[in-house]
């Protein structure tokens, strides 16, 4: 028996003695298996429900649990019906068959020996020969056996067609007794209905079931999948030629067949066809229906919101408020002094119904917002503040002294339903949205749908940061439309000019190398040159674990965040997380291993999907506060919010000692360490580096090659997203 924690997979077989724990939702099980050598083995993993006496074949690895000792952690579990008299007795006496207990199981096996299960399966009326079995009890046994047989046949069917036990449990929970029929008729339905199963996995099942390579079912599902992938890359639509090309490559068919599938999808309304204003003229485009609706409705709502309310001045402003006098009031009453360009922006805010305020770090966006809030609150206006993430909302509250909330909380959303909408609008005179560059087309539509026509709106953001994770580039599109008033703050205030972080963020944004890279040492910005990727890793570990905590008094886990451009590679988030975790949280507490990932008490983790039940959102960072390995449960503390997780939900959590720069949007950290190397060549972009630098409050350390830094600084050719919001808004405003 190998006790290496990461050995090659091996297979064991034995009889199930007892089920210590079973989770109905995800199939996580703790089993006691009696091996052929009469060893009692503790086995943990995801499987269907099993009963004592069953013969099981399990594939996995041996691990040493710090509390429970040696365990077999299985990734695959197959049922082998018991063949011995003793095994059949335990199997029948386990409660599997209604009306058959341990004593009746003995009588049945005494009567039929090792053929007892065959009798129940093929000639159940023979059971009437057994003492104590009446016609009524026989009917109950038949019904119970048929039900169990159906469950077993479903699990056999799924596992024999390449579905893992964990997903088999989810599929059976979704479809029940109709599972086989549903999967046989359309295996691609799994990708739509079962979280964690995408087109690629469903396609493997389809192949096992003999679905032809060029079947319309496969092509239609593949085109839809590629459209979803393109949308996941940030595009609201896709040119049909691009969609056909990507689909043909994925499916291994001709572009003509892919075009035909796109046409069928549009006919069936699983895609929407439209003509859009492309980069080189009119383009034939395809949309997912919801995103076509979001974009068109968003343009219409924004155009409607910009119209002056009855009784307002021509621009839709507040009327009676003068920027000069208001700025004097802000200085004398609030102690907030505004510079000339801020007074100009204030004038726009007071005279416009919708305004965009944009600018980089240190240009006074927050000071201006504080002044606007104070001036308009003094007039008795109801003002609401919101931001895309919990961390961004918390920062907004601290900076302005006015309570802010996440957009989802503001709209009272559970992720599916938005309680605040056109029928139940927000009761506010002014809504201010911070970090607006992070807001995608869906969420912006929901916001505008919930605003009354007479409400005012101010969007605050930095368009030089990365765009939203979700589809669209809303803030940039609104500005480029030329239809929305824009106040750009571009003067760095004197009191922050000594900040290397702010100065260098602006230098990078202007295409200039940061100062420290040229030898000028700054107190809060450093570049450590290292061309060897493995030595970069050593340097990062030293910085996070020892050098930064000792010199700056910062906690290596809570205060220092490694931000990296990519997930893969030596300097990717995955490898850095593995190394940093072992050094920063070696721990001796409980842990839970799911797949190749280990979750341990004290681990720093990030939520990567919005979870409205737990009140935890994409990008939130927390710390694992408790682990119950036997039950397959753990809890995570997100800034005081204790969120419980079962093994099924752990695919929503990743380790966060190192995270991608994309995932850091909307967050701030006392210190950031950023590897920058030619390993990340495809992502060496100016806005990515700029976003990473602006996440830091007190310290930035870049580690890597000067060539990679230069490439990133000078590469402003970021990939454009396919959106049509700006032209739609221009048309809506002019109509």
């Amino acid at each position: 028996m190998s006790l290496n924690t990461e050995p090659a997979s091996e297979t064991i077989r034995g009889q199930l003695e007892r089920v210590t724990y079973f989770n109905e939702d995800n199939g996580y099980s703790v089993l006691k298996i009696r091996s052929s050598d009469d060893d009692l083995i503790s086995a943990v993993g995801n499987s269907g429900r099993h009963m004592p006496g069953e013969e099981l074949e399990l594939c996995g690895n041996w691990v040493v649990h710090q509390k429970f000792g040696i365990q077999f952690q299985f990734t695959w579990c197959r049922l082998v019906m018991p063949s011995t008299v003793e095994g059949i007795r335990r199997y029948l006496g386990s409660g599997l068959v209604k009306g058959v207990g341990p004593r009746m199981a003995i009588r049945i096996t005494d009567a039929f020996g090792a053929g007892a299960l065959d009798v129940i399966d093929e000639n159940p009326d023979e059971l009437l020969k057994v003492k104590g079995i009446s016609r009524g009890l026989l009917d109950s046994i038949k019904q119970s056996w048929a039900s169990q047989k159906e469950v077993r046949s479903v699990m056999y069917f799924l596992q024999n067609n390449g579905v893992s036990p964990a997903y088999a449990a989810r599929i059976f929970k979704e479809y029940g007794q109709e599972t086989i029929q549903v999967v046989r008729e359309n295996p691609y339905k799994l990708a739509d209905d079962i979280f964690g199963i995408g087109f690629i996995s469903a396609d493997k099942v389809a192949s096992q079931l003999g679905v032809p390579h060029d079947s319309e079912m496969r092509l239609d599902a593949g085109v839809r999948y590629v459209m979803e992938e393109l949308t996941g890359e940030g595009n609201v639509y896709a040119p049909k030629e691009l969609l056909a090309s990507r689909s043909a490559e994925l499916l291994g068919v001709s572009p003509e067949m892919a075009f035909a599938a796109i046409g069928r999808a549009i006919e069936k309304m699983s895609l929407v066809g439209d003509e859009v204003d492309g980069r080189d003229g009119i383009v034939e485009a395809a949309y997912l229906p919801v995103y076509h609706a979001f974009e068109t409705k968003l343009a219409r709502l924004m155009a409607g919101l910009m119209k002056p309310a009855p009784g307002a001045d021509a621009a839709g402003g507040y009327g009676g408020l003068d920027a000069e006098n208001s700025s004097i009031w802000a200085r004398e009453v609030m102690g907030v002094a505004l510079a000339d360009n801020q007074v100009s922006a204030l004038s726009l805010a007071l005279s416009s119904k919708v305004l965009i305020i944009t600018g980089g770090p240190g240009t006074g966006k927050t000071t201006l917002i504080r002044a606007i809030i104070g001036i308009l609150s003094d007039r008795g206006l109801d003002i609401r503040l919101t931001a895309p993430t919990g961390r961004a909302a918390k920062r907004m509250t601290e900076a302005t002294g006015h309570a802010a909330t996440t957009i989802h909380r503001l709209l009272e959303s559970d992720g599916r339903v938005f309680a605040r909408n056109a029928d139940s609008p927000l009761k506010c005179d002014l809504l201010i949205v911070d970090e607006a560059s992070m807001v995608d087309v869906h969420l912006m539509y929901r916001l505008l749908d919930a605003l009354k026509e007479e409400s005012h709106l101010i969007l605050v953001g930095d368009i030089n940061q990365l765009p939203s994770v979700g589809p669209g580039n809303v803030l940039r599109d609104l500005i480029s439309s030329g239809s929305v008033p824009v106040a750009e703050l571009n003067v760095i205030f004197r009191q922050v000019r000594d900040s290397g972080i702010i100065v260098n963020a602006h230098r990078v944004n202007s295409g200039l190398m940061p100062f420290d890279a040229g030898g000028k040492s700054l107190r809060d910005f450093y570049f450590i040159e290292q061309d060897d990727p493995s030595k970069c890793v050593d340097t990062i570990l030293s910085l996070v674990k020892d050098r930064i905590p000792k010199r700056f008094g910062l906690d290596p886990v809570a205060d220092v965040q490694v931000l990296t451009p990519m997930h893969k590679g030596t300097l990717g988030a995955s490898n850095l997380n593995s190394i940093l975790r072992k050094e920063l949280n070696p721990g001796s507490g409980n842990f839970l291993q799911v797949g190749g990932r280990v979750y341990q008490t004290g681990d720093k983790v990030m939520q990567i999907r919005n979870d409205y039940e737990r009140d935890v959102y994409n990008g939130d960072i927390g710390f694992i506060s408790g682990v119950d390995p036997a039950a397959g449960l753990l809890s995570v503390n997100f800034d005081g919010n204790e969120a419980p997780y079962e093994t099924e939900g752990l695919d929503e959590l990743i380790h966060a000692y190192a995270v991608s720069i994309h995932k850091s949007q909307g967050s701030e950290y006392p210190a950031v360490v950023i590897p920058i190397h030619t390993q990340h060549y495809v992502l060496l972009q100016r806005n990515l580096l700029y976003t990473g630098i602006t996440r830091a409050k007190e310290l930035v350390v870049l580690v890597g090659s000067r060539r990679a830094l230069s490439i990133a600084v000078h590469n402003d050719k970021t990939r454009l997203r396919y959106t049509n919001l700006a032209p739609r808004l221009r048309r809506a405003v002019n109509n």
Side-chain angles (χ1 to χ4, degrees), residues 22 69 106 115 188 233 237 242 313 343 450 508 552 554 567 649 667 675 678 685 690 701 705:
F22 178 74
I106 292 172
Y188 297 100
E233 292 170 10
Y237 75 85
L242 174 64
D313 59 34
V343 175
V508 167
F552 296 94
L554 297 174
H567 291 284
S667 298
T678 49
Q685 299 169 352
Y690 173 80
V701 184
S705 73

Side-chain angles (χ1 to χ4, degrees), residues 564-611:
T564 179
M566 295 186 74
H567 291 284
K568 297 180 180 179
T570 306
L571 292 167
S574 180
N575 185 55
L576 289 172
N577 260 315
S578 177
I579 293 168
L580 289 166
R581 180 184 170 279
K582 289 175 183 176
E583 291 294 327
L584 298 176
N585 188 32
S588 57
N590 287 338
F591 70 88
L592 184 64
Q593 184 167 342
V594 179
R597 189 175 289 156
V598 175
Y599 300 89
Q600 180 173 276
T601 304
D603 270 344
K604 183 178 184 180
V605 292
M606 174 182 279
Q607 175 79 13
I608 59 171
R609 294 176 65 224
N610 289 336
D611 190 316

